[in-house]
Amino acid sequence: MTVGHICPDAQDDITNRAYARVGLLGNPSDGYFGKCISVSVQNFFAEVTLTPNQQIFSSRVTIEPGPSDSTVFESLDTLAARTAKNGYYGGARLLRALCLKFHEHCVKNEYKLSERGFTLEYDSNIPTQAGLSGSSAIIVAGLKCLMQYYSVYIPLEEQPALVLSCEHDLGINAGLQDRVIQCYEGVVYMDFSDEEMVRTQGKGVYTRLPESCLPSLHIVYDDNPSDSGKVHADVKQRWERGDEDVRSKMSRVAELAERGYRVLSSLGTDKQTGEPTIELGMLMNANFNLRKEMFGAEALGARNVEMIDTARGAGSFAKFTGSGGAAVVLCATKSEEERAAMYADCEAKGFKVCPLVVNPGKPSGRAA
């Protein structure tokens, strides 16, 4: 029987953050037993606070509505504008799903939990509908709070699957990549090619890269997205049917991540510049081009395609950070002129631009 874990008597609030992520290479092949490289981004984060009930015998659990959970609006225009920007659902449902899955995990592993309740509340500055993994960030931050509150240890390699199960319960179509990088942080190369491991154990093989391997990167995003590829693309169904074109291109996307891993490894160890950096940029461009071929420009959304084209127009390399709404950009040279031109062109089109600040990961190593 598992040793019981009891909530500490401390009255202090527990606050944890989980950071946005950028898919540098390989996405969306991670959802098709492929490979990818992801980066934890310090610029944007979700924050969850757990407040223990002041009455220690109270078992009440409260989930406070957050900035995207409002049910009262100043006008119909306000309702329409906020819904168009943030969608129909906020973060409270994510935390509720987390509490359910966390409870199931503790019951399964025979953890004895304190009956003292708590209040959960969240906030986030991660741009909505921007492909920066704002939803999973709320769950990861909440999971950190629950583990700390109840002194429950969940191995790091098991945490992404638990987070993903919360989203699947809510009907959110997602893969492991985002949850892995938000739990591990730093820069991680992920190999999901062992289909049996992914299906039965809920994990792939993860290799950390030093943050120093990354050249200067930038994030371009639309703070008020008007479209995010709402036209349905049947790529998943075609892949499952064994469509040779989709299978071939998805495999090529995965190979880009594998090649990128080798490039970044050389950048991290030899401090090389120039040609390896250009090669990384070319891999990023190829990644987006293959996505566009598979899904089609209409499915990606005109505004999203314009974002990529604008960044590239200044001579830079660019691809989506996720499924659309934001791009990760690598300038072809270190010249201030190129960087300034890219910023000016993107801002002139109404996009926001900022340098990517890497959120450092935990000690380097490999987890299977």
Side-chain angles (χ1 to χ4, degrees):
M1 178 173 178
T2 307
V3 177
H5 290 251
I6 307 297
C7 170
D9 292 330
Q11 301 291 320
D12 295 340
D13 292 354
I14 297 172
T15 299
N16 281 288
R17 288 180 176 180
Y19 294 87
R21 74 93 186 89
V22 158
L24 185 62
L25 282 171
N27 55 310
S29 79
D30 52 291
Y32 300 82
F33 306 106
K35 302 171 184 178
C36 62
I37 299 172
S38 293
V39 181
S40 179
V41 180
Q42 205 169 77
N43 306 61
F44 308 110
F45 57 86
E47 190 171 82
V48 173
T49 297
L50 185 153
T51 303
N53 290 347
Q54 295 306 301
Q55 295 180 339
I56 62 174
F57 298 110
S58 172
S59 60
R60 181 188 299 273
V61 172
T62 303
I63 300 175
E64 294 287 352
S68 300
D69 295 292
S70 177
T71 56
V72 179
F73 304 91
E74 296 176 0
S75 67
L76 187 59
D77 286 342
T78 302
L79 181 153
R82 290 187 181 176
T83 303
K85 180 177 181 180
N86 300 321
Y88 291 98
Y89 306 108
R93 67 175 186 143
L94 301 171
L95 292 176
R96 183 172 178 178
L98 168 64
C99 288
L100 169 64
K101 289 301 180 181
F102 180 81
H103 179 266
E104 288 180 352
H105 174 87
C106 293
V107 170
K108 178 181 178 181
N109 290 278
E110 299 183 339
Y111 287 113
K112 179 176 173 58
L113 302 180
S114 167
E115 293 186 1
R116 182 180 179 187
F118 55 84
T119 295
L120 283 177
E121 55 186 328
Y122 78 95
D123 199 1
S124 175
N125 68 359
I126 301 176
T128 58
Q129 301 184 46
L132 292 166
S133 299
S135 294
S136 54
I138 294 172
I139 301 176
V140 172
L143 177 60
K144 292 179 181 179
C145 289
L146 291 176
M147 289 192 297
Q148 184 176 342
Y149 183 58
Y150 286 111
S151 299
V152 168
Y153 171 71
I154 300 176
L156 182 60
E157 62 268 22
E158 295 180 13
Q159 293 175 25
L162 190 151
V163 174
L164 183 60
S165 70
C166 300
E167 295 175 272
H168 282 173
D169 265 16
L170 295 170
I172 298 173
N173 184 23
L176 281 167
Q177 175 195 190
D178 300 359
R179 292 93 211 144
V180 171
I181 192 61
Q182 289 175 323
C183 290
Y184 281 72
E185 303 181 334
V187 184
V188 179
Y189 170 57
M190 309 172 199
D191 185 345
F192 299 107
S193 59
D194 188 333
E195 185 171 342
E196 183 179 359
M197 178 186 290
V198 174
R199 290 190 184 278
T200 61
Q201 301 180 42
K203 62 182 180 181
V205 176
Y206 312 133
T207 305
R208 296 187 184 282
L209 286 160
E211 291 84 29
S212 61
C213 75
L214 292 178
S216 295
L217 297 168
H218 308 270
I219 300 175
V220 180
Y221 65 99
D222 194 346
D223 196 38
N224 188 26
S226 58
D227 68 63
S228 55
K230 296 181 177 65
V231 178
H232 177 69
D234 62 349
V235 171
K236 186 70 172 181
Q237 290 81 0
R238 289 164 59 196
W239 186 89
E240 290 175 345
R241 291 198 303 265
D243 183 287
E244 291 185 7
D245 183 61
V246 170
R247 291 264 176 160
S248 173
K249 288 175 179 173
M250 202 64 75
S251 177
R252 287 164 59 191
V253 171
E255 290 172 3
L256 295 175
E258 187 174 352
R259 291 169 58 188
Y261 170 66
R262 293 195 293 268
V263 171
L264 291 177
S265 295
S266 70
L267 286 170
T269 57
D270 300 332
K271 305 296 182 183
Q272 298 181 40
T273 56
E275 289 186 6
T277 301
I278 297 299
E279 183 179 357
L280 179 66
M282 294 175 67
L283 294 174
M284 292 167 58
N285 274 8
N287 199 150
F288 175 80
N289 294 346
L290 284 168
R291 175 189 281 270
K292 186 176 178 182
E293 289 176 19
M294 285 187 287
F295 287 82
E298 186 179 9
L300 298 186
R303 181 69 169 162
N304 287 325
V305 174
E306 181 184 31
M307 181 189 305
I308 298 294
D309 290 343
T310 302
R312 290 185 179 180
S316 301
F317 306 102
K319 67 175 292 293
F320 285 165
T321 62
S323 58
V328 55
V329 179
L330 169 61
C331 294
T333 69
K334 290 188 175 182
S335 71
E336 176 60 25
E337 290 77 9
E338 181 190 344
R339 188 205 67 81
M342 186 269 290
Y343 272 56
D345 289 352
C346 290
E347 290 170 350
K349 295 289 183 66
F351 300 116
K352 292 193 173 183
V353 196
C354 63
L356 187 157
V357 180
V358 181
N359 177 52
K362 298 172 176 64
S364 59
R366 179 189 295 266

